[in-house]
Amino acid sequence: MKKKLISVLLCFAMVATMAVGCGGSGEEENTEGAATEEESSEEETEAVSEDTLFGQALAQVDEDLAPLPEKGTGKKLAAIESTLSNSFWVTMQEGYEDAAEEYGVTIDIQATDSDTDTAGQLDIMNNMLVKDYEAIAVSPLTEDCLISGIVEANKNDIKVITTGNEVNEEALEAAGGYLDAKITVDFHNQGVLGAQYIIDKTGGEGKVAVIAGNEGATQSDARRDGAKETFEEAGMEVVAVEQCDFDAQKAYDAAAALIEANPDLVGITCGNDDMALGVVRALEEKGVKDQVMVVGVDFTEEAKAAIEEGTYDATVAMSPYLMGREGVIIMLKALEGQDVSEVGDSTPMAVVDETNVDQMSDWR
């Protein structure tokens, strides 16, 4: 599986640097007679995979996760996300829902009101445990906040997988718990890619800053550290690392203060697009956006529009939709008794800016 995953990552890296697309995933099979709903869904997936970059990535993910689970089993699944006020998580919800419909199962998706409501996220999980869900996919706000809930799920023979954000497995094991599978993302590399973009555009000279999400969250800490380490290795001066809890207003305030204290700042990396767009707004109001490059993560719809408008420099794209799809497939595979212990990272990523944003028009 790892060789296949490397191929799709390399393919999307080429999109980011050379605007070259991947090859298709094979020819669509011909069928006779009236198609069933399942056949129609499969034909639609095949058609998309031949025509679009996103469809090709979807087909690659399905290939990597083969053998795929049986459809039409009616299994009852659940998923826990972060706040749905962020379009990243809304898109991931769509991935969950579409995959559940395709596979003939149900899924209950719930989310917290904010990216920092760890107690609320645990409450959601505890409430789910008293229902008859057979598997739950979780994206923990921090590595420790759901440990007690996972332990209870284990006791009740409910499968638990993580999607993206991870759990402190040493602490989980000490508490007597375990995970059935992990869908991981190389969040550290996302930070590296964002910082490297600024390094390449500035020649590696000048002052930079890092705007991070909430401390203790897997993706936040990894993106922050990846960016900071990459800047420092290139010899750039990191004047500040600000924890802004994935909040656009906090990022706006931090950027306004940063540019006042460092009028010669040349670049800022951000832990997600919401914060990055808050930073862009602050720099525009200060009249200095042209001198400061801003790079985020996620490639949300708002980020795409801002890049197309020329107000936002770049973002590291990943696919929350495909992560949601993977979550459903992995839960069903686990319930069938398939070995899902080595799922790993099958989510492609690429840096998107004005030179290749048109190649990502269908990305989600």
Side-chain angles (χ1 to χ4, degrees):
M1 179 183 295
K2 289 184 178 178
K3 290 182 179 178
K4 294 178 183 176
L5 299 184
I6 291 171
S7 70
V8 76
L9 289 170
L10 287 175
C11 183
F12 278 86
M14 287 193 294
V15 172
T17 58
M18 301 170 59
V20 176
C22 303
S25 64
E27 295 182 0
E28 182 177 349
E29 296 180 0
N30 292 323
T31 59
E32 296 182 1
T36 64
E37 289 184 9
E38 180 177 316
E39 288 170 341
S40 296
S41 176
E42 290 173 350
E43 288 171 1
E44 181 179 351
T45 298
E46 289 171 358
V48 169
S49 70
E50 292 177 356
D51 298 336
T52 69
L53 290 172
F54 176 76
Q56 291 162 19
L58 185 152
Q60 181 69 59
V61 165
D62 281 4
E63 181 181 344
D64 293 335
L65 296 181
L68 297 174
E70 181 183 352
K71 294 184 177 181
T73 60
K75 299 290 187 183
K76 298 185 69 174
L77 312 177
I80 304 174
E81 296 188 338
S82 183
T83 173
L84 293 176
S85 63
N86 184 323
S87 62
F88 176 93
W89 298 104
V90 174
T91 303
M92 188 170 176
Q93 179 182 22
E94 293 169 354
Y96 277 128
E97 292 172 341
D98 289 353
E101 181 178 3
E102 177 184 340
Y103 277 87
V105 299
T106 62
I107 188 163
D108 175 20
I109 304 160
Q110 297 187 37
T112 53
D113 291 332
S114 75
D115 288 299
T116 57
D117 186 10
T118 54
Q121 193 176 55
L122 180 58
D123 286 342
I124 289 172
M125 185 163 194
N126 287 334
N127 289 332
M128 285 180 169
L129 295 179
V130 301
K131 300 179 181 180
D132 55 350
Y133 299 125
E134 298 171 77
I136 303 175
V138 300
S139 298
L141 292 175
T142 67
E143 294 187 347
D144 299 311
C145 69
L146 294 182
I147 286 179
S148 63
I150 295 170
V151 171
E152 287 302 311
N154 296 154
K155 292 177 181 177
N156 289 282
D157 198 29
I158 300 170
K159 303 294 186 183
V160 180
I161 73 168
T162 55
T163 52
N165 299 357
E166 297 181 30
V167 169
N168 183 330
E169 292 193 67
E170 289 186 4
L172 179 59
E173 183 178 359
Y178 60 89
L179 295 171
D180 292 280
K182 298 180 293 181
I183 298 174
T184 59
V185 175
D186 191 347
F187 294 119
H188 186 273
N189 190 46
Q190 292 174 344
V192 171
L193 290 172
Q196 191 62 51
Y197 183 88
I198 291 175
I199 292 166
D200 292 343
K201 295 294 184 179
T202 61
E205 298 181 357
K207 297 179 180 179
V208 291
V210 178
I211 300 292
N214 51 306
E215 192 165 9
T218 304
Q219 82 279 37
S220 174
D221 291 354
R223 291 168 182 168
R224 175 197 65 201
D225 296 346
K228 183 174 183 291
E229 292 163 7
T230 302
F231 280 138
E232 290 174 342
E233 288 171 3
M236 299 191 81
E237 181 183 355
V238 181
V239 298
V241 176
E242 300 285 348
Q243 301 284 164
C244 292
D245 300 329
F246 293 118
D247 185 280
Q249 184 59 48
K250 290 182 180 180
Y252 169 93
D253 294 339
L258 278 169
I259 199 63
E260 286 290 338
N262 303 276
D264 52 349
L265 200 68
V266 300
I268 301 176
T269 61
C270 302
N272 75 354
D273 286 330
D274 280 3
M275 293 192 298
L277 294 177
V279 168
V280 167
R281 181 164 58 91
L283 297 176
E284 286 179 332
E285 291 180 6
K286 294 287 185 180
V288 294
K289 175 61 195 71
D290 288 347
Q291 78 173 50
V292 185
M293 303 205 71
V294 180
V295 181
V297 179
D298 286 343
F299 192 48
T300 62
E301 284 299 315
E302 296 87 351
K304 176 177 178 291
I307 291 172
E308 290 173 338
E309 293 167 1
T311 58
Y312 184 26
D313 296 290
T315 185
V316 180
M318 55 186 293
S319 176
Y321 184 92
L322 291 181
M323 287 180 65
R325 178 179 180 81
E326 291 172 40
V328 169
I329 292 172
I330 295 302
M331 283 190 281
L332 294 176
K333 284 167 67 77
L335 289 170
E336 287 183 352
Q338 292 192 43
D339 182 7
V340 291
S341 60
E342 299 295 330
V343 175
D345 180 0
S346 50
T347 304
M349 64 180 72
V351 177
V352 182
D353 64 7
E354 63 179 3
T355 67
N356 64 348
V357 67
D358 60 324
Q359 299 289 320
M360 306 287 282
S361 60
D362 63 335
W363 193 259
R364 51 183 170 150

